[in-house]
């Protein structure tokens, strides 16, 4: 009997301005996979609070993180019976995941169903601020970056299943680098490199 491997779930994480959405969209193009924008699951009260320049506290984040986790489980169930050798049998999600305890919630996907791999989009505070100041129509003001950097607990590759990626390359190049790293680790089939 063949055992069906778990669905790879890539959580693109980092502070505001690191390019989570841009890189996730490029990964979705490469892999032709399911994509979930974590920010879309924020309750309106969280969006209003951040738009007003007030950082979220843990009580604001817990329900949001559990909602993302629950959506990941649904997405993984949808992809589970797809061809295990298909690069599209993947879920990509964006979520800042600033603290390890937040990442631990997202890792609560049943292990037989999905394997959560964090992709930490790492950049200097100066580059992050420059990017935030240049974007239009986002609810997160530039003034919130400091609070996110203060909250950030960078993931440790020795302890967490994480790919660390520089935000310097353009999003389409960064997505290719991430996919190649995932293939090298065995998280994606080699056919993912052909896209």
């Amino acid at each position: 009997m063949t055992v069906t491997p778990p669905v790879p779930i890539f959580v693109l994480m980092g502070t505001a301005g690191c390019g989570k959405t841009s890189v996730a969209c490029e990964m979705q193009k490469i892999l032709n996979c399911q994509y979930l924008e974590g920010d879309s699951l924020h309750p309106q009260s969280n969006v209003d609070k951040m738009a007003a320049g007030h950082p979220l506290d843990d009580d604001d984040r817990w329900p949001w993180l559990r909602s993302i986790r629950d959506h990941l489980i649904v997405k993984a169930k949808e992809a589970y019976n797809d061809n295990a050798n298909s690069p599209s049998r993947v879920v990509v999600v964006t979520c800042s995941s600033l603290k390890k305890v937040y990442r631990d919630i997202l890792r609560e996907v049943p292990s037989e169903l999905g394997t959560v791999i964090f992709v930490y989009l790492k950049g200097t505070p100066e580059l992050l601020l420059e990017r935030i100041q240049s974007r239009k129509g986002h609810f997160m003001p530039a003034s919130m970056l400091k609070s996110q950097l203060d909250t950030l607990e960078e993931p440790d590759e020795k302890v967490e299943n994480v790919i660390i990626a520089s935000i310097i390359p353009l999003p389409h190049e960064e997505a290719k680098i991430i996919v190649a790293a995932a293939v090298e680790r065995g998280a994606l089939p080699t056919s993912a490199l052909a896209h």
Side-chain angles (χ1 to χ4, degrees):
M1 184 169 87
T2 306
V3 176
T4 304
V7 173
I9 300 170
F10 293 93
V11 179
L12 277 66
M13 62 156 292
T15 66
C18 71
K20 293 182 291 289
T21 300
S22 299
V23 175
C25 289
E26 292 298 330
M27 285 183 70
Q28 183 186 31
K29 286 179 195 173
I30 292 169
L31 301 171
N32 192 29
C33 65
Q34 297 196 50
Y35 165 57
L36 175 65
E37 173 67 52
D39 280 349
S40 70
L41 299 176
H42 269 300
Q44 190 60 45
S45 58
N46 284 6
V47 173
D48 293 345
K49 188 172 183 177
M50 289 182 284
H54 303 291
L56 298 180
D57 58 30
D58 286 349
D59 289 336
D60 299 317
R61 288 188 179 101
W62 301 133
W64 172 63
L65 292 164
R66 286 191 294 270
S67 177
I68 293 172
R69 178 209 52 214
D70 295 346
H71 278 77
L72 289 178
I73 291 170
V74 168
K75 296 280 188 193
K77 284 179 180 175
E78 290 171 1
Y80 187 78
N81 290 318
D82 292 350
N83 179 342
N85 294 315
S86 171
S88 64
R89 187 181 175 270
V90 171
V91 177
V92 173
V93 62
T94 56
C95 176
S96 52
S97 308
L98 299 176
K99 289 184 179 180
K100 185 178 181 299
V101 293
Y102 305 161
R103 297 190 290 275
D104 289 344
I105 290 172
L106 299 180
R107 268 192 280 275
E108 292 173 353
V109 173
S111 60
E112 69 281 359
L113 180 62
T115 300
V116 176
I117 304 146
F118 288 91
V119 179
Y120 173 37
L121 305 179
K122 184 175 181 170
T124 64
E126 297 78 18
L127 181 54
L128 293 165
L129 182 59
E130 178 184 314
R131 288 184 174 187
I132 292 170
Q133 289 173 332
S134 67
R135 66 185 182 182
K136 308 277 185 261
H138 195 279
F139 61 81
M140 177 77 76
S143 60
M144 297 290 293
L145 179 60
K146 180 175 179 350
S147 111
Q148 285 202 334
L149 289 169
D150 290 345
T151 302
L152 177 64
E153 295 171 1
E154 291 191 338
D156 181 346
E157 291 176 287
K158 295 179 184 90
V159 179
E160 297 185 70
N161 190 2
V162 62
I163 296 169
I164 298 177
S166 166
I167 67 168
I168 293 173
L170 293 173
H172 70 279
E173 290 300 324
E174 192 171 357
K176 289 179 189 176
I177 291 166
I178 294 164
V179 167
V183 168
E184 186 177 311
R185 292 170 173 225
L188 288 175
T190 55
S191 59
L193 296 173
H195 293 79

